[in-house]
């Protein structure tokens, strides 16, 4: 059976929205058209993908499996499209993703010296999309901060740096030269607990089952706004804290948590000479955070 990528895109939109009306708006198509396409997809697979009632739309077990498989397939198709378009454009371009607090200029200059005929572009990424940009072809390589889902990627370590606690400027700990993670036991962490395993082990809100939801934040600026408002605390790499300094937020070193690991990542399936050359020079560049 040939899989229709358009139907898969429609399915993913409904699966993520769990609402046909919202999914139709997102796709800019009429809802009856979307419903027909989903029914056609179910007929092709000969399974029910959604359990629908007048009040709700939920994924079936088959639907959940298809969602898991459809996302990387669509990302791979988009990556292929981008690379074909790029090849047709000429001249050669090479795109580097990088996380906040990381300066890629030395690596870009070194790469340009080796490949003066290649146009180098850079894209700043976030915790949300630092791996997505590899899978969908927006970048050739990405300078990422661990942890990430490494499936399908090649990884090369670059450097490590300490992490600090970001606190509101009038916080009880804001003036201290350094703290232990245990000092934050009764705080609300503005990021997933797995991002700071040491805090997870001592956090009162987790032990008492009273953890508040973490707001969705797509940028460092948004995170700093929540900290400044007194919504909680955040643990971030030192270079990020240095770059995003503001008077109403204080950065305090945390002595007993693991350093943040920074790596170069690229799709393991790629066989690009440019990628290999950049990976080779990346380990020779001085990535020391400028603090």
């Amino acid at each position: 059976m040939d899989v229709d990528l358009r139907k898969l895109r429609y399915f993913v939109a409904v699966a993520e929205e769990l609402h046909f009306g919202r999914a139709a708006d997102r796709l800019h198509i009429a809802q009856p058209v979307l419903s027909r396409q989903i029914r056609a997809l179910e007929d092709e697979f000969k399974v029910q993908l959604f359990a629908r009632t007048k009040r709700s739309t939920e994924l079936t077990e088959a639907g959940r499996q298809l969602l898991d498989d459809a996302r990387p397939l669509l990302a791979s198709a988009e990556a292929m499209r981008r690379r074909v378009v790029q090849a047709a454009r000429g001249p050669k371009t090479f795109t580097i993703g990088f996380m906040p607090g990381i300066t890629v200029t030395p690596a870009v200059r070194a790469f340009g010296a080796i490949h003066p005929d290649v146009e180098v572009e850079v894209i700043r990424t976030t915790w949300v999309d630092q791996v997505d940009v590899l899978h969908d072809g927006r970048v050739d390589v990405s300078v990422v901060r661990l942890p990430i889902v490494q499936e399908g990627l090649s990884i090369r370590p670059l450097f490590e740096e300490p992490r600090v606690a970001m606190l509101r400027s009038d916080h009880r700990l804001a003036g201290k030269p350094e703290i232990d993670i245990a000092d934050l036991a009764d705080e609300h962490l503005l990021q997933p607990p797995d991002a700071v395993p040491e805090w997870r082990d001592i956090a009162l809100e987790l032990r008492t089952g009273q953890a508040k939801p973490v707001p969705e934040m797509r940028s460092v600026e948004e995170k700093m706004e929540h900290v400044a408002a007194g919504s909680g605390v955040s643990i971030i790499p030192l270079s990020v804290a240095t770059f995003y300094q503001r008077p109403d937020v204080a950065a305090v070193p945390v002595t007993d948590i693991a350093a943040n690991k920074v790596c170069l990542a690229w799709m393991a399936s790629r066989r690009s000479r440019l990628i290999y050359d950049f990976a080779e020079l990346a380990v020779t560049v001085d990535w020391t955070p400028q603090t």
Side-chain angles (χ1 to χ4, degrees):
M1 180 186 75
D2 294 329
V3 178
D4 187 333
L5 294 181
R6 183 184 60 177
K7 290 193 184 77
L8 279 186
R9 292 190 186 94
Y10 290 173
F11 162 77
V12 169
V14 178
E16 291 178 345
E17 298 290 345
L18 291 178
H19 190 282
F20 276 75
R22 289 195 297 269
D25 290 341
R26 170 175 154 182
L27 294 164
H28 305 293
I29 63 174
Q31 184 173 334
V33 173
L34 177 58
S35 297
R36 286 197 298 271
Q37 292 296 314
I38 296 300
R39 283 197 297 272
L41 187 62
E42 289 178 321
D43 289 343
E44 290 173 10
F45 279 102
K46 295 181 172 54
V47 298
Q48 183 178 356
L49 299 171
F50 295 99
R52 285 160 279 190
T53 68
K54 291 183 178 180
R55 293 187 176 183
S56 68
T57 298
E58 301 292 337
L59 283 166
T60 63
E61 191 62 35
R64 284 190 285 272
Q65 182 61 58
L66 182 58
L67 181 60
D68 288 343
D69 292 335
R71 282 172 168 155
L73 180 60
L74 291 174
S76 179
E78 176 61 16
M80 177 182 66
R81 185 195 68 80
R82 289 177 187 271
R83 288 195 292 269
V84 170
V85 171
Q86 179 176 309
R89 274 203 326 245
K92 290 181 179 179
T93 61
F94 187 79
T95 306
I96 305 164
F98 66 98
M99 284 287 283
I102 297 171
T103 301
V104 296
T105 306
V108 170
R109 289 176 176 169
F111 184 75
I114 299 173
H115 294 284
D117 59 328
V118 175
E119 180 181 345
V120 179
E121 300 176 351
V122 295
I123 294 177
R124 203 203 77 164
T125 60
T126 69
W127 285 107
V128 176
D129 66 2
Q130 62 173 335
V131 170
D132 292 345
V133 295
L134 290 166
H135 287 287
D136 65 20
R138 278 178 281 171
V139 304
D140 295 290
V141 298
S142 189
V143 184
V144 300
R145 294 188 182 276
L146 301 187
I148 60 171
V149 177
Q150 299 185 21
E151 183 179 358
L153 302 179
S154 292
I155 303 292
R156 185 160 296 184
L158 296 178
F159 67 92
E160 298 182 1
E161 63 171 312
R163 293 189 290 170
V164 298
M166 303 305 293
L167 315 170
R168 198 165 80 169
S169 57
D170 59 355
H171 190 280
R172 60 186 173 82
L173 300 173
K176 292 187 173 294
E178 61 183 34
I179 60 176
D180 297 330
I181 192 64
D183 294 326
L184 301 175
D186 59 352
E187 300 290 343
H188 174 53
L189 188 68
L190 293 170
Q191 57 206 110
D194 286 347
V196 190
E198 299 91 345
W199 178 86
R200 181 186 57 196
D201 294 338
I202 52 90
L204 292 178
E205 69 174 13
L206 296 182
R207 282 191 281 168
T208 60
Q210 297 178 342
K212 295 181 290 186
V214 177
E216 182 177 352
M217 292 172 280
R218 300 185 62 87
S219 68
V220 179
E221 292 90 342
E222 291 176 10
K223 187 173 290 186
M224 293 301 97
E225 289 293 335
H226 282 283
V227 171
S231 301
V233 304
S234 184
I235 306 293
I236 65 176
L238 176 59
S239 62
V240 180
T242 302
F243 189 83
Y244 289 92
Q245 291 183 68
R246 46 187 289 177
D248 51 358
V249 174
V252 181
V254 185
T255 61
D256 56 349
I257 61 174
N260 177 238
K261 296 181 179 180
V262 177
C263 298
L264 183 71
W266 66 94
M267 295 300 299
S269 58
R270 297 287 304 277
R271 296 293 182 268
S272 165
R273 182 72 257 166
L274 295 180
I275 290 177
Y276 294 152
D277 286 350
F278 188 86
E280 288 300 315
L281 74 84
V283 296
T284 70
V285 170
D286 181 9
W287 293 91
T288 305
Q290 302 300 308
T291 58

